[in-house]
Amino acid sequence: MTEATSGSKVAFHYTGTLNDGSVFDSSEGRDPLSFTMGEGQIIPGLEAAFEGLKTGDAKTVTVPADQAYGDRDPNAMQQIPRDQIPDNIPTEPGTQLQMQAPNGQAIPVVVAEVSETHITLDANHPLAGQDLTFAVEVVSVD
């Protein structure tokens, strides 16, 4: 049986959970997720866990935040004066919006806080700063 190594195409099913046991993502009811080892297509800590696995293998791995979506970056928080935000833009905390970077790239943000004078936007990945646990089952290794 083929072992997963750099260059292998791996297909797998997974369930991702947070430290409190809540599920943040799962392939249940969907096709397996596929990636090529060594190409950086999935988070580094999860990719490393597939090294040496074969079709049919199952494993649970905890990926520390720095090998997943990184630590929360306080510099990714930005306060915007309320009067600079058009009235038609929703500003309730938790609302997902997009900002445009100077290079034109769209940046997803979440409204973190709202005060009388400012709105705080958070551009951190929603899973930044969190250790992630994945229960994986290898469907195929090619």
Side-chain angles (χ1 to χ4, degrees):
M1 232 187 258
T2 304
E3 288 187 1
T5 59
S6 184
S8 297
K9 184 169 182 175
V10 178
F12 68 101
H13 280 293
Y14 67 94
T15 298
T17 56
L18 302 175
N19 286 339
D20 66 4
S22 62
V23 174
F24 65 84
D25 197 9
S26 174
S27 64
E28 186 176 335
R30 301 185 302 197
D31 290 337
L33 183 63
S34 296
F35 74 101
T36 301
M37 294 277 292
E39 293 190 0
Q41 298 169 335
I42 62 174
I43 59 174
L46 181 57
E47 181 174 341
F50 284 97
E51 187 72 36
L53 295 185
K54 301 174 187 148
T55 299
D57 285 350
K59 182 176 189 175
T60 298
V61 59
T62 297
V63 178
D66 65 344
Q67 295 176 28
Y69 294 99
D71 294 321
R72 291 193 55 77
D73 179 2
N75 295 320
M77 304 286 284
Q78 184 175 7
Q79 280 195 341
I80 309 289
R82 282 188 82 130
D83 61 6
Q84 290 185 12
I85 298 185
D87 291 338
N88 64 325
I89 302 291
T91 57
E92 295 79 31
T95 301
Q96 295 180 358
L97 302 171
Q98 282 192 354
M99 292 180 61
Q100 190 170 6
N103 66 2
Q105 180 181 4
I107 301 171
V109 296
V110 172
V111 177
E113 291 180 31
V114 178
S115 74
E116 289 184 27
T117 59
H118 288 83
I119 294 175
T120 303
L121 301 176
D122 183 356
N124 282 290
H125 187 282
L127 296 174
Q130 298 192 57
D131 297 339
L132 308 176
T133 299
F134 293 90
V136 300
E137 181 181 352
V138 179
V139 175
S140 65
V141 177
D142 296 320

